[in-house]
Amino acid sequence: MEEKPEKILKLNKVIRKFIISDLILFSGWGFISPLMSIFIVQEIGGNLINVGVSVAIYWFVRSIIELPLANKLDKTRGEKDDFYALISGLFVIAVSAFCFTVVSNINQLYLFQLLEGIGFAMYASSWSGIFSRHLDKDRIAFSWSADHIAVGIASALGGILGGLSATLLGFRFIFIFGGILSLISAIIFPSSMPSLESSWVKLKSSVVLKI
């Protein structure tokens, strides 16, 4: 007996919100990532070697942080640690996007690429842990595939719109836009996990008090 279309597409609330948040985050970075090499060469006077080094810094930093952090998150009971790592990672990602608006030399670029790598390492390790624990047993492959498709669509649309936006509005716009979408993604996550909403409220309150 074939499943009805609405049954096939049905996913639990946590998984749906995580996929939506991924869609928003990678829509923003879809504006930025494809155009970084052009930005480096045209806007700050870099060359192809600088492009390669900046990409290497991002992936090297992300790679050396992500696995140890994931291991630590797995060993800690509960999901509060994953939650804080996830939200913190998104804020670091947003800050790195905003920082690109003030880049004036290659050394600054490398520094902000390092920051971006740290943010995505925190995000990826914590996101994967929470997402995996909330998967429906009969929707494991489908849920992961749905997220991959969402990221793919977001990256594709971001690439097209990012190129158009950079042409009409400049690179600063796409960096700010990517940063804003990263922040929106951070806001959506707590609503997907009612058990952790109180932690989000406490986190926001502590930030406000410090300011």
Side-chain angles (χ1 to χ4, degrees):
M1 182 176 179
E2 293 186 0
E3 289 184 293
K4 295 180 179 179
E6 59 269 24
K7 175 65 176 177
I8 295 174
L9 297 175
K10 187 176 181 181
L11 296 168
N12 69 60
K13 179 182 177 181
V14 174
I15 298 301
R16 287 200 310 271
K17 287 290 184 71
F18 267 51
I19 292 174
I20 291 171
S21 296
D22 241 7
L23 178 68
I24 293 171
L25 175 65
F26 285 97
S27 292
W29 281 89
F31 272 64
I32 298 172
S33 298
L35 302 177
M36 278 302 293
S37 58
I38 299 174
F39 171 75
I40 293 170
V41 174
Q42 289 188 356
E43 299 296 314
I44 59 178
N47 54 42
L48 296 181
I49 295 175
N50 299 135
V51 172
V53 171
S54 68
V55 172
I57 289 173
Y58 165 79
W59 280 109
F60 181 73
V61 170
R62 175 172 171 172
S63 298
I64 63 174
I65 293 176
E66 188 170 333
L67 199 60
L69 178 58
N71 185 54
K72 180 175 177 58
L73 293 175
D74 282 340
K75 290 182 177 180
T76 305
R77 292 184 62 186
E79 290 189 321
K80 282 189 177 181
D81 56 324
D82 302 76
F83 173 77
Y84 285 126
L86 182 66
I87 299 300
S88 299
L90 284 169
F91 276 108
V92 173
I93 290 170
V95 169
S96 71
F98 293 136
C99 284
F100 286 129
T101 63
V102 298
V103 168
S104 59
N105 59 64
I106 295 300
N107 289 332
Q108 289 179 346
L109 172 73
Y110 291 162
L111 176 62
F112 299 147
Q113 286 286 73
L114 183 149
L115 189 64
E116 181 190 344
I118 293 172
F120 271 102
M122 296 171 67
Y123 173 78
S125 55
S126 53
W127 186 98
S128 298
I130 299 175
F131 189 83
S132 298
R133 284 191 290 271
H134 288 270
L135 287 168
D136 295 314
K137 291 183 179 180
D138 59 343
R139 285 288 181 271
I140 295 175
F142 182 85
S143 298
W144 280 108
S145 297
D147 180 67
H148 293 161
I149 290 171
V151 171
I153 292 173
S155 300
L157 292 177
I160 296 171
L161 297 177
L164 181 63
S165 299
T167 300
L168 298 176
L169 303 171
F171 282 98
R172 183 167 295 183
F173 171 83
I174 66 172
F175 294 138
I176 293 174
F177 185 73
I180 290 173
L181 289 189
S182 299
L183 292 177
I184 292 174
S185 185
I187 293 171
I188 289 176
F189 273 114
S191 66
S192 68
M193 303 180 69
S195 62
L196 292 176
E197 282 188 296
S198 60
S199 298
W200 173 237
V201 173
K202 290 178 181 178
L203 179 61
K204 288 194 294 184
S205 300
S206 64
V207 171
V208 172
L209 289 174
K210 289 180 181 178
I211 295 174

